C-alpha cells in the first residue's frame, strides 16, 4: 500500500481535531490522540488511524459518549477506580494514574481499575505508560464474545487481550507485549472473509463446532482459544479481572465492537502497577540483564517488543491519512 511520511505531532493533532469534530471534548480527544499516535509509531494502523475512523463513527452515533466526564477515587489504599462513564478509556486512565502511582510508591503495588469504557484499542498503551514511570505494568481487558470454550459451539469470551511492559531500570523499557488469548486476532478473520481467503486450521470452528478454514464460517461460529484449555483459562482470568472485578460489561453481554450503531461498550480494564525493586532490590535489574543476554546471544531471537522504536516521523497509509484529514475537516 502507498505510504506517506508525516510527523507524529501532525498525526496527533489531526486525530485530536477529528475526534473533537465528531463530538469529543478537547480533553478527551487529546488523551485518545496520544494512544492513536503511539500505535502508528509502532506501525499498528489498526489501533491507529484505522481505529480513528471507528472512533469518529461511534462518536457520531453516540455509542461512545465523547463528552463523558470520568471520575476516579481511591477505594482502598492500593486500589483506584476510574469510571469512564461510557466514554473513552484513555481519559479515565489519565485521571486515575497519578493516584495509582502514589499508591504504588507507598505500597509497592497498586491496581487502577477502569470501568464502563469504550474499547481501548491498543491495550499495551497503558502498561507502557506505567513502565515508563519505572513500574512493571500489566493490563487486561475484555471484548465482545467471539471465543468458544474448548469443545463448544457458542462464543462466551472475547479475544480478551493481555499486555505487559517491563522497565529496564534506566528510564526505558526492557521488553513488552500485547496479545490476545484467542488463537487469532478477530480482525484477521474479518480480513480473510472480506477477501474470501482461507484461514489456517486451528483458528476457529463453524456454528456446528466443527474445525473450519472458512473465514465466513468462523465469523458465524467462533474463534478457538490459543493453546486449547490453557488459553481458555487465561481468557477466563482476563474476564474475571477486567469485567467482574471492575463491575463492567461481560463479553457475553457486549455487542460487536465494530458496529457503528449500538449500546455503549461498557468494558473494563484492569491495570496492575508493581515496584520491581520492592522485594528484589538491585537483583531485579541484574536478573533482567542476564535474561536479555541469554536471549540475545541466540541468533535470530529477541525479547518481545524490543524491535519497537518511537520515531518523530512515521510512514502511514496514504489513504488512511487522507481520510483522517477529512475527518478533521482539514
Amino acid at each position: 500500500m502507498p505510504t506517506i511520511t508525516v510527523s507524529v505531532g501532525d498525526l496527533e493533532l489531526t486525530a485530536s481535531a477529528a475526534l473533537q469534530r465528531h463530538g469529543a471534548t478537547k480533553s478527551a480527544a487529546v488523551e485518545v490522540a496520544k494512544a492513536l499516535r503511539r500505535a502508528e509509531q509502532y506501525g499498528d494502523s489498526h489501533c491507529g488511524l484505522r481505529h480513528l475512523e471507528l472512533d469518529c463513527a461511534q462518536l457520531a452515533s453516540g455509542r461512545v459518549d465523547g463528552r463523558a466526564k470520568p471520575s476516579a477515587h481511591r477505594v482502598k489504599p492500593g486500589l483506584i477506580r476510574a469510571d469512564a462513564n461510557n466514554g473513552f478509556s484513555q481519559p479515565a486512565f489519565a485521571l486515575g494514574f497519578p493516584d495509582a502511582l502514589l499508591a504504588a510508591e507507598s505500597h509497592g503495588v497498586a491496581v487502577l481499575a477502569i470501568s464502563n469504557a469504550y474499547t481501548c484499542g491498543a491495550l499495551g498503551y497503558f502498561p507502557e505508560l506505567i513502565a515508563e514511570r519505572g513500574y512493571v505494568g500489566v493490563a487486561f481487558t475484555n471484548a465482545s464474545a467471539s471465543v468458544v470454550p474448548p469443545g463448544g459451539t457458542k462464543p462466551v469470551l472475547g479475544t480478551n487481550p493481555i499486555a505487559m511492559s517491563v522497565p529496564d531500570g534506566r528510564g526505558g523499557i526492557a521488553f513488552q507485549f500485547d496479545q490476545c488469548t484467542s488463537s487469532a486476532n478477530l480482525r484477521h478473520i474479518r480480513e480473510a472473509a472480506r477477501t474470501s481467503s482461507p484461514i489456517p486450521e486451528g483458528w476457529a470452528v463453524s456454528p456446528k463446532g466443527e474445525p473450519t478454514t472458512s473465514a465466513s464460517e468462523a465469523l458465524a461460529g467462533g474463534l478457538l482459544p490459543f493453546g486449547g484449555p490453557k488459553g481458555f483459562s487465561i481468557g477466563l482470568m482476563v474476564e474475571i479481572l477486567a469485567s467482574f472485578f471492575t463491575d463492567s460489561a461481560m463479553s457475553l453481554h457486549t455487542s460487536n465492537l465494530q458496529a457503528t450503531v449500538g449500546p455503549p461498550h461498557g468494558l473494563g480494564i484492569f491495570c496492575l502497577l508493581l515496584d520491581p525493586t520492592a522485594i528484589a532490590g538491585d537483583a531485579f535489574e541484574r536478573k533482567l540483564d542476564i535474561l536479555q543476554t541469554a536471549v540475545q546471544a541466540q541468533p535470530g531471537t529477541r525479547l518481545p517488543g524490543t524491535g519497537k522504536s518511537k520515531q518523530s516521523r512515521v510512514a502511514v497509509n496514504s489513504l488512511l491519512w487522507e481520510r483522517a484529514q477529512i475527518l478533521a475537516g482539514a
Side-chain angles (χ1 to χ4, degrees):
M1 295 183 182
T3 61
I4 184 172
T5 301
V6 300
S7 73
V8 295
D10 286 346
L11 193 154
E12 190 173 320
L13 287 173
T14 298
S16 177
L19 293 165
Q20 291 178 65
R21 187 165 180 256
H22 287 79
T25 63
K26 181 178 181 180
S27 58
V30 165
E31 294 301 329
V32 177
K34 292 177 185 176
L36 297 173
R37 177 260 301 160
R38 189 168 295 207
E40 284 291 348
Q41 284 181 295
Y42 288 151
D44 182 7
S45 288
H46 177 79
C47 292
L49 292 178
R50 197 177 299 278
H51 212 280
L52 175 65
E53 293 187 82
L54 178 67
D55 296 342
C56 289
Q58 297 202 20
L59 275 168
S61 73
R63 194 166 185 200
V64 55
D65 184 355
R67 302 201 168 274
K69 293 184 178 180
S71 59
H73 68 285
R74 192 180 291 206
V75 179
K76 290 182 180 292
L79 172 60
I80 291 82
R81 183 191 184 190
D83 195 329
N85 291 315
N86 292 324
F88 290 103
S89 58
Q90 290 84 0
F93 178 90
L95 183 64
F97 191 37
D99 202 17
L101 288 170
L102 289 175
E105 182 180 356
S106 297
H107 305 291
V109 58
V111 168
L112 174 54
I114 302 173
S115 308
N116 306 311
Y118 174 76
T119 181
C120 65
L123 178 65
Y125 176 69
F126 303 114
E128 184 173 350
L129 292 179
I130 294 169
E132 286 178 347
R133 299 300 292 269
Y135 295 93
V136 175
V138 183
F140 305 137
T141 191
N142 62 331
S144 55
S146 58
V147 177
V148 299
T153 60
K154 297 184 183 300
V156 296
L157 297 179
T159 54
N160 288 17
I162 59 177
M164 181 179 190
S165 291
V166 179
D168 62 8
R170 297 177 288 276
I173 294 176
F175 70 91
Q176 57 190 347
F177 64 83
D178 181 351
Q179 62 191 51
C180 55
T181 55
S182 53
S183 56
N185 196 301
L186 190 56
R187 72 174 180 264
H188 296 150
I189 307 290
R190 292 195 182 104
E191 179 60 22
R194 186 185 69 81
T195 59
S196 299
S197 302
I199 59 174
E201 292 183 4
W203 275 17
V205 293
S206 71
K208 295 181 180 180
E210 299 169 342
T212 183
T213 58
S214 166
S216 58
E217 281 193 352
L219 292 175
L223 303 183
L224 290 168
F226 81 87
K230 294 180 181 179
F232 187 68
S233 296
I234 296 175
L236 285 171
M237 176 187 69
V238 172
E239 187 78 10
I240 294 297
L241 293 175
S243 169
F244 297 15
F245 182 82
T246 67
D247 192 22
S248 300
M250 294 176 63
S251 292
L252 272 171
H253 300 156
T254 305
S255 58
N256 185 350
L257 303 181
Q258 301 292 311
T260 301
V261 178
H265 299 176
L267 299 172
I269 303 170
F270 179 97
C271 297
L272 178 65
L273 297 76
L274 289 170
D275 180 350
T277 65
I279 294 175
D282 293 341
F284 182 90
E285 187 176 339
R286 290 199 304 271
K287 290 179 178 179
L288 189 57
D289 288 340
I290 292 170
L291 176 62
Q292 289 176 309
T293 300
V295 172
Q296 294 169 354
Q298 302 178 51
T301 66
R302 62 179 176 85
L303 287 167
T306 53
K308 296 180 178 180
S309 61
K310 297 189 290 290
Q311 305 297 325
S312 60
R313 297 184 65 81
V314 292
V316 300
N317 181 290
S318 298
L319 182 58
L320 289 179
W321 180 241
E322 181 180 341
R323 289 176 182 170
Q325 290 180 302
I326 293 172
L327 289 171

